[in-house]
Amino acid sequence: MAADCIFCRIVQGESPARRVYENAHVVAFHDIAPQAPVHVLVIPRRHFASVLELGEEEVEILKGIQGAIRRVAEETGVARTGFRVVTNCGRDGHQTVFHLHYHILGGRRLGWPPG
């Protein structure tokens, strides 16, 4: 856990979040600044600054992330209509919170390319 990380505080229950799903490896909650009607973040309970810190030894965490994405998509209704999964990495990738997180975006037609 990184002491100054808002997502670590959410995992620990020290900061509020509208949780929608959790399992042994991840927590999923609504984004506070949604960019689509459905905008949920899936984060690992363990602190990784970005996707670049995950290694093959974290296969169980990756399974937990994938399972959470599927469950959130089903429970929010976007599994039927389509959705996007995004993780930003680094400054140029527009990562603003340096705790690995995946955005699940849906509930409307999403354009391509993104911004």
Side-chain angles (χ1 to χ4, degrees), residues 5-26:
C5 175
I6 183 64
F7 287 175
C8 286
R9 291 195 302 270
I10 287 171
V11 167
Q12 295 299 317
E14 297 168 1
S15 290
R18 291 179 34 224
R19 293 178 186 226
V20 295
Y21 177 78
E22 48 192 299
N23 64 33
H25 299 290
V26 305

Side-chain angles (χ1 to χ4, degrees), residues 80-95:
R80 290 185 319 274
T81 58
F83 62 99
R84 183 171 293 155
V85 178
V86 176
T87 187
N88 300 323
C89 187
R91 186 192 68 213
D92 286 352
H94 198 67
Q95 184 177 6

Side-chain angles (χ1 to χ4, degrees), residues 32-109:
I32 61 169
Q35 301 300 304
V38 172
H39 189 168
V40 174
L41 302 178
V42 175
I43 67 170
R45 291 181 180 275
R46 186 168 146 201
H47 185 88
F48 298 94
S50 78
V51 69
L52 296 176
E53 290 187 1
L54 286 173
E56 291 178 13
E57 62 276 9
E58 279 83 42
V59 68
E60 292 303 314
I61 294 171
L62 289 166
K63 284 185 197 177
I65 290 167
Q66 184 62 38
I69 289 168
R70 182 181 59 252
R71 287 284 300 273
V72 168
E74 292 168 353
E75 291 177 14
T76 59
V78 298
R80 290 185 319 274
T81 58
F83 62 99
R84 183 171 293 155
V85 178
V86 176
T87 187
N88 300 323
C89 187
R91 186 192 68 213
D92 286 352
H94 198 67
Q95 184 177 6
T96 57
V97 177
F98 288 86
H99 182 124
L100 175 62
H101 56 287
Y102 295 82
H103 298 260
I104 300 172
L105 299 143
R108 67 171 169 82
R109 187 158 176 81

